[in-house]
Amino acid sequence: MPDPVPAPLQMVEVQRTADAELDRLRPVLDGLGKAFEDAGHELALVGGPVRDAMLGRAHTDLDLTTSALPDETERILERWGDVTWDVGRAFGTIGCRKGPWQVEVTTYRTDAYDADSRKPDVAYGDTLAGDLGRRDFTVNAMAVRWPGRAFEDPYGGIVDLADRVLRTPVTPEQSFSDDPLRMMRAARFASQLGFDVAPEVVAAMTAMADRIEIVSAERVRDELVKTICGRWPRRGLSLLVETGLADRVLPELPALARERDEHQRHKDVYEHTLTVLEQSIELEERLPGGGPDLVSRLAALMHDVGKPRTRKFLDDGTVTFHHHDVVGAKLTRKRMKALRFSNDDTDAVTQLVELHLRFHGYGSGEWTDSAVRRYVRDAGDQLERLHVLTRADCTTRNQRKAARLRRTYDDLEERIARLSEEEELASLRPDLDGNQIMEVLGIGPGREVGLAYRHLLDLRLEEGPKSPEEARAALQSWWADQQRPDDQARG
């Protein structure tokens, strides 16, 4: 089961945790703060690092804000750090690395936004309070001045953090009008931190959901990825569905919610999907890189998106979703392309969605060895993720049925392991390569070599590995069959 969301914090606990983290940061920030102070400027740790210091989450990437303009910031950082960069100069940001620490310092800002764009016209401010007021949520609108460690919290972020709730420093309508992507960030923080979202923030997200459409697909995708890969993704995804944002960015998910059967003739596909996602997360330790695993989670989220388009009610009262795996794979590919996912991730997730039902043909172990080989071949390098998805897809409350499915899949995995050990199944190839095929048949490169290669691969799948002599004999027999119709035609 997913981790329980932490309870609200006691203020004394927040203070103690923050002090310990700020003590850890002193070796890097004391010197930097003194450098800015000597130059006549203010410097403050701000945003996520302050919030996470109170939550006991350590950082080596530090965000700071300053009264200094970018040119002066750059001069100070060049003297203090190991290397600097200015790719964010247009937004007032200069970056620096010193040892293991990565520091970004941004000039106080009071941005102005165009009504039809989320890109601000950058305007520099002159106060820390003004800079904090433009930030997304109160828990990110706290700062610690350096040196001296004076705490600044003009919008009550520390109380909201202790209560684990997301609010905006200004009205949520103004905040989301300024930057619509903040609505997606609300879902991301709900997923990553387990925070609740204040009712007025949810109401504004619902009323302004269509404004997300002016944000680029890449930025939406990045926030969606962080939401899916958070510790409590159900919270963030449910918020997107509840507010209507998912209708704009991932419409396949709310379509599952609308597909509920009022007569209870089949399970709630939307709730089933979120449960499969949570169960797949529990199984991520099986994957080579552990978790969070984006491809595995996306496959769990998308595996049944073909059901709304394939649902049919039969005369006997049952419900079918024939070919929802194939339809779902097409919908998945289309959505991931629209969100500008990489080709590799798109191919992997689409493949898993298309294969997620394959195991159910296994029955109680009736597959032949050749069928097991085909399962492995078709899964390719996604086999371990397919194991996770298939196991997670069992959400029945019938414990006897669930145990039977687990035992059956255990059996399949054991057979795969045995065959893999015996036949090097993971790198399954024909017993002869292309050059050997041409040599045996006395032909040059061409279509016939490909046909012969596929025949030998099918033979390998059906009958297992052969010796070189057996493979040559089988190839020559097949080749003779291919030539016979032509001989008869000439006769």
Side-chain angles (χ1 to χ4, degrees):
M1 297 303 293
D3 294 338
V5 176
L9 300 168
Q10 297 296 318
M11 200 63 69
V12 64
E13 179 184 355
V14 172
Q15 185 65 53
R16 183 170 56 249
T17 302
D19 285 344
E21 176 60 11
L22 294 178
D23 284 342
R24 190 183 70 89
L25 299 180
R26 282 191 61 185
V28 64
L29 290 184
D30 277 356
L32 184 58
K34 185 67 165 54
F36 273 85
E37 184 180 57
D38 289 347
H41 296 293
E42 299 175 351
L43 183 73
L45 185 70
V46 70
V50 177
R51 177 200 69 219
D52 288 348
M54 298 177 179
L55 295 172
R57 293 155 57 101
H59 278 269
T60 56
D61 294 354
L62 304 178
D63 295 327
L64 297 109
T65 188
T66 182
S67 58
L69 293 175
D71 287 347
E72 179 65 12
T73 296
E74 187 172 33
R75 284 192 289 271
I76 295 171
L77 292 180
E78 284 177 341
R79 293 192 297 268
W80 174 80
D82 299 329
V83 61
T84 62
W85 57 88
D86 67 348
V87 292
R89 181 184 291 273
F91 298 97
T93 301
I94 304 296
C96 173
R97 182 174 294 280
K98 186 178 181 66
W101 304 92
Q102 180 169 306
V103 174
E104 290 193 340
V105 183
T106 302
T107 303
Y108 294 157
R109 282 165 48 177
T110 55
D111 301 337
Y113 289 78
D114 185 275
D116 297 321
S117 172
R118 73 161 304 273
K119 294 182 179 180
D121 296 324
V122 177
Y124 296 132
D126 53 13
T127 66
L128 176 58
D131 181 87
L132 295 177
R134 71 176 182 83
R135 296 180 180 269
D136 50 8
F137 302 104
T138 61
V139 296
N140 295 329
M142 299 180 287
V144 178
R145 292 183 182 272
W146 230 282
R149 282 173 49 166
F151 179 57
E152 300 285 344
D153 182 22
Y155 301 101
I158 192 170
V159 175
D160 289 339
L161 183 139
D163 290 339
R164 294 187 175 273
V165 64
L166 292 176
R167 302 183 192 277
T168 52
V170 296
T171 66
E173 290 80 8
Q174 179 182 338
S175 182
F176 299 152
S177 179
D178 284 348
D179 187 350
L181 194 64
R182 289 172 177 169
M183 296 186 287
M184 295 291 296
R185 287 200 201 110
R188 185 235 292 189
F189 289 130
S191 170
Q192 290 180 330
L193 304 175
F195 281 20
D196 291 323
V197 181
E200 69 273 15
V201 175
V202 175
M205 292 170 66
T206 304
M208 303 176 67
D210 59 348
R211 186 154 167 74
I212 197 66
E213 294 173 0
I214 72 170
V215 181
S216 71
E218 291 83 358
R219 289 179 177 272
V220 169
R221 175 204 62 211
D222 290 347
E223 291 298 327
L224 185 62
V225 166
K226 292 172 184 177
T227 299
I228 293 170
C229 289
R231 189 172 178 182
W232 298 279
R234 179 190 281 261
R235 297 174 69 86
L237 293 168
S238 297
L239 180 64
L240 293 179
V241 172
E242 175 188 351
T243 58
L245 280 162
D247 286 307
R248 279 82 176 176
V249 303
L250 191 66
E252 294 78 12
L253 186 59
L256 296 177
R258 289 190 291 270
E259 193 266 340
R260 290 188 177 102
D261 174 20
E262 64 275 15
H263 300 295
Q264 301 297 310
R265 285 174 288 184
H266 66 85
K267 61 191 172 188
D268 184 326
V269 182
Y270 172 69
E271 288 297 326
H272 163 76
T273 294
L274 295 181
T275 300
V276 171
L277 172 60
E278 290 176 333
Q279 292 185 168
S280 72
I281 293 171
E282 294 175 22
L283 294 170
E284 282 180 340
E285 62 186 19
R286 294 170 53 101
L287 300 176
D293 186 84
L294 175 62
V295 168
S296 181
R297 295 189 184 198
L298 276 172
L301 192 62
M302 303 297 286
H303 79 284
D304 272 350
V305 296
K307 280 191 170 180
R309 294 197 181 185
T310 58
R311 183 177 73 167
K312 289 186 178 180
F313 294 106
L314 303 183
D315 292 340
D316 63 1
T318 58
V319 184
T320 65
F321 302 96
H322 292 314
H323 307 301
H324 78 266
D325 47 346
V326 177
V327 172
K330 292 179 180 178
L331 291 173
T332 297
R333 182 174 294 279
K334 181 179 179 181
R335 180 55 48 201
M336 291 187 68
K337 284 187 173 181
L339 288 170
R340 307 290 194 272
F341 278 94
S342 71
N343 290 335
D344 287 346
D345 284 348
T346 299
D347 289 344
V349 176
T350 300
Q351 180 183 10
L352 289 166
V353 172
E354 188 166 6
L355 292 176
H356 83 273
L357 290 181
R358 182 74 66 86
F359 162 72
H360 295 287
Y362 187 71
S364 57
E366 287 83 1
W367 278 1
T368 62
D369 283 353
S370 64
V372 174
R373 295 186 190 102
R374 290 182 188 279
Y375 186 78
V376 174
R377 182 192 66 176
D378 291 347
D381 60 2
Q382 298 305 313
L383 181 62
E384 291 302 324
R385 288 186 173 121
L386 184 57
H387 289 335
V388 167
L389 176 58
T390 303
R391 288 181 179 275
D393 196 22
C394 175
T395 61
T396 179
R397 295 180 182 178
N398 184 323
Q399 294 303 310
R400 183 176 298 178
K401 180 179 179 182
R404 185 176 70 249
L405 286 171
R406 285 194 298 270
R407 287 195 302 270
T408 304
Y409 207 82
D410 287 343
D411 179 68
L412 174 58
E413 287 200 56
E414 289 170 4
R415 289 182 64 186
I416 289 172
R418 174 176 54 80
L419 288 171
S420 181
E421 183 178 351
E422 292 174 357
E423 306 174 12
E424 298 180 356
L425 192 57
S427 57
L428 194 61
R429 296 182 179 88
D431 296 294
L432 302 176
D433 63 24
N435 290 328
Q436 291 170 315
I437 289 171
M438 289 188 288
E439 179 184 351
V440 171
L441 300 182
I443 60 176
R447 174 175 174 271
E448 292 84 358
V449 178
L451 292 173
Y453 188 95
R454 283 192 290 275
H455 170 71
L456 289 178
L457 179 58
D458 288 340
L459 201 62
R460 172 74 183 270
L461 290 168
E462 294 292 340
E463 301 178 7
K466 296 180 178 297
S467 68
E469 293 75 17
E470 291 172 332
R472 291 189 183 95
L475 177 60
Q476 289 168 337
S477 175
W478 171 83
W479 183 246
D481 288 340
Q482 300 302 302
Q483 302 304 304
R484 187 169 297 113
D486 293 337
D487 294 341
Q488 291 173 351
R490 286 193 294 271

